[in-house]
Amino acid sequence: MSDEKGKSKRTRAVVDRIEDNGVAVLLVGEEEHKVELPASLLPEGAEGGSHLSVNITLDEASRKEAEARVKALQEKLEKRGSGGEGQKSFKL
Protein backbone atom coordinates (compact mmCIF):
# COMPACT_ATOMS: atom_id res chain seq x y z
CA MET A 1 0.00 0.00 0.00
CA SER A 2 1.41 3.46 -0.87
CA ASP A 3 0.29 6.99 -0.03
CA GLU A 4 -1.31 9.34 -2.54
CA LYS A 5 1.96 10.97 -3.54
CA GLY A 6 3.96 7.73 -3.70
CA LYS A 7 6.36 9.06 -1.04
CA SER A 8 5.76 6.22 1.42
CA LYS A 9 4.79 2.58 1.53
CA ARG A 10 3.41 0.35 4.23
CA THR A 11 3.60 -3.41 4.45
CA ARG A 12 3.39 -6.10 7.07
CA ALA A 13 6.15 -8.24 8.53
CA VAL A 14 6.44 -11.11 10.97
CA VAL A 15 9.38 -11.51 13.34
CA ASP A 16 10.69 -14.96 12.41
CA ARG A 17 13.29 -14.97 15.17
CA ILE A 18 15.72 -12.86 17.15
CA GLU A 19 19.19 -14.35 17.07
CA ASP A 20 21.66 -14.36 19.96
CA ASN A 21 23.86 -11.80 18.19
CA GLY A 22 21.04 -9.22 18.36
CA VAL A 23 19.85 -9.65 14.77
CA ALA A 24 16.12 -9.83 14.09
CA VAL A 25 15.02 -11.88 11.09
CA LEU A 26 11.78 -10.57 9.58
CA LEU A 27 9.58 -12.09 6.89
CA VAL A 28 8.32 -9.05 4.98
CA GLY A 29 5.29 -8.74 2.70
CA GLU A 30 3.13 -11.39 1.12
CA GLU A 31 6.20 -12.97 -0.49
CA GLU A 32 7.83 -13.18 2.97
CA HIS A 33 11.18 -11.70 1.89
CA LYS A 34 13.78 -12.41 4.56
CA VAL A 35 15.22 -9.18 6.01
CA GLU A 36 17.77 -8.94 8.80
CA LEU A 37 18.10 -5.85 10.97
CA PRO A 38 19.30 -4.94 14.44
CA ALA A 39 16.80 -6.17 17.01
CA SER A 40 17.25 -2.82 18.78
CA LEU A 41 15.17 -1.25 15.99
CA LEU A 42 12.13 -3.36 16.89
CA PRO A 43 9.43 -1.95 19.17
CA GLU A 44 9.58 -2.93 22.83
CA GLY A 45 8.04 -6.34 23.44
CA ALA A 46 8.57 -7.64 19.90
CA GLU A 47 9.59 -11.29 19.81
CA GLY A 48 9.44 -14.28 17.51
CA GLY A 49 5.97 -14.48 16.02
CA SER A 50 5.16 -10.77 16.51
CA HIS A 51 3.37 -9.10 13.62
CA LEU A 52 4.61 -5.65 12.58
CA SER A 53 3.40 -2.84 10.36
CA VAL A 54 6.37 -1.43 8.44
CA ASN A 55 6.25 2.13 7.07
CA ILE A 56 8.97 3.40 4.72
CA THR A 57 8.91 7.11 3.90
CA LEU A 58 11.16 9.24 1.72
CA ASP A 59 12.85 11.96 3.78
CA GLU A 60 13.19 14.81 1.27
CA ALA A 61 14.35 17.33 3.89
CA SER A 62 17.23 15.10 5.00
CA ARG A 63 18.31 14.57 1.39
CA LYS A 64 18.33 18.33 0.72
CA GLU A 65 20.39 18.94 3.86
CA ALA A 66 22.91 16.28 2.77
CA GLU A 67 23.13 17.78 -0.72
CA ALA A 68 23.77 21.23 0.77
CA ARG A 69 26.56 19.85 3.01
CA VAL A 70 28.19 18.08 0.06
CA LYS A 71 27.95 21.20 -2.10
CA ALA A 72 29.53 23.34 0.63
CA LEU A 73 32.35 20.81 1.01
CA GLN A 74 32.87 20.73 -2.76
CA GLU A 75 33.13 24.51 -2.88
CA LYS A 76 35.59 24.50 0.03
CA LEU A 77 37.75 21.87 -1.70
CA GLU A 78 37.60 23.72 -5.03
CA LYS A 79 38.89 26.87 -3.32
CA ARG A 80 41.81 24.88 -1.91
CA GLY A 81 42.63 23.32 -5.28
CA SER A 82 44.39 24.91 -8.17
CA GLY A 83 41.14 25.69 -9.96
CA GLY A 84 42.51 24.04 -13.09
CA GLU A 85 41.34 21.19 -15.31
CA GLY A 86 40.36 17.82 -13.98
CA GLN A 87 37.94 18.99 -11.34
CA LYS A 88 34.90 16.82 -10.97
CA SER A 89 31.37 17.52 -9.88
CA PHE A 90 29.83 15.01 -7.50
CA LYS A 91 26.14 14.35 -6.95
CA LEU A 92 24.32 12.27 -4.38
Side-chain angles (χ1 to χ4, degrees):
M1 176 185 306
S2 63
D3 76 351
E4 297 167 21
K5 298 178 184 177
K7 302 271 183 186
S8 68
K9 286 196 170 192
R10 182 171 59 184
T11 190
R12 297 195 182 272
V14 175
V15 179
D16 183 52
R17 65 187 178 278
I18 299 176
E19 298 178 342
D20 292 336
N21 61 356
V23 172
V25 179
L26 306 182
L27 302 176
V28 180
E30 290 181 22
E31 297 86 14
E32 295 188 337
H33 295 286
K34 181 176 146 184
V35 175
E36 296 180 356
L37 58 97
S40 61
L41 295 177
L42 296 178
E44 188 176 328
E47 57 187 18
S50 293
H51 286 231
L52 306 172
S53 176
V54 180
N55 296 300
I56 301 172
T57 305
L58 287 175
D59 188 343
E60 300 286 345
S62 176
R63 180 182 176 142
K64 287 179 183 177
E65 289 172 10
E67 287 173 345
R69 284 193 310 270
V70 169
K71 184 176 181 180
L73 182 56
Q74 277 183 293
E75 290 171 357
K76 182 178 178 181
L77 292 172
E78 286 174 3
K79 287 179 185 175
R80 279 185 173 180
S82 64
E85 281 187 52
Q87 289 185 347
K88 296 181 180 178
S89 179
F90 297 94
K91 292 185 179 183
L92 288 179

